[in-house]
Amino acid sequence: MGMSLDERVRSAIAALLHAAGESQAGLAAALGVSQAQVSRRQSGAAAWSLADCEAVAAHYGITAHDLLAGPTRAAEALPAERRRVPGARPAVVDGGS
């Protein structure tokens, strides 16, 4: 049997984070939540809501349908301008030292 919808969403978000070269902290800042909340959702301790999925999709410039379809479809849908430059370090939110 294939992945559950929850697993597909978590995998898709992980693929998008990697493809965009973005950290969980960067995604959290864009969504207006804490990094810990993103971490709990990514670990499966909490679920991504449909509203969260829409916000994540909008942040990455893809459709919610592409996100829900899984990691391959989500990563393929990521616009070229959102893709990380090979060898670049992940984006970090200001405020850290």
Side-chain angles (χ1 to χ4, degrees), residues 50-94:
L50 289 177
D52 293 332
C53 290
E54 287 179 332
V56 169
H59 172 67
Y60 286 112
I62 66 173
T63 67
H65 185 264
D66 289 331
L67 178 69
L68 297 174
T72 301
R73 175 94 169 257
E76 288 173 351
L78 186 67
E81 61 271 11
R82 291 301 316 271
R83 295 185 183 281
R84 70 184 169 103
V85 176
R89 301 187 76 181
V92 177
V93 176
D94 288 339

Side-chain angles (χ1 to χ4, degrees), residues 7-97:
E7 292 168 328
R8 226 177 10 250
V9 168
R10 288 193 308 270
S11 294
I13 292 172
L16 289 166
L17 285 166
H18 177 75
E22 187 171 39
S23 66
Q24 285 186 355
L27 177 59
L31 299 178
V33 300
S34 70
Q35 184 276 327
Q37 287 173 301
V38 170
S39 179
R40 283 193 297 274
R41 291 171 184 156
Q42 280 302 95
S43 71
W48 289 99
S49 71
L50 289 177
D52 293 332
C53 290
E54 287 179 332
V56 169
H59 172 67
Y60 286 112
I62 66 173
T63 67
H65 185 264
D66 289 331
L67 178 69
L68 297 174
T72 301
R73 175 94 169 257
E76 288 173 351
L78 186 67
E81 61 271 11
R82 291 301 316 271
R83 295 185 183 281
R84 70 184 169 103
V85 176
R89 301 187 76 181
V92 177
V93 176
D94 288 339
S97 34

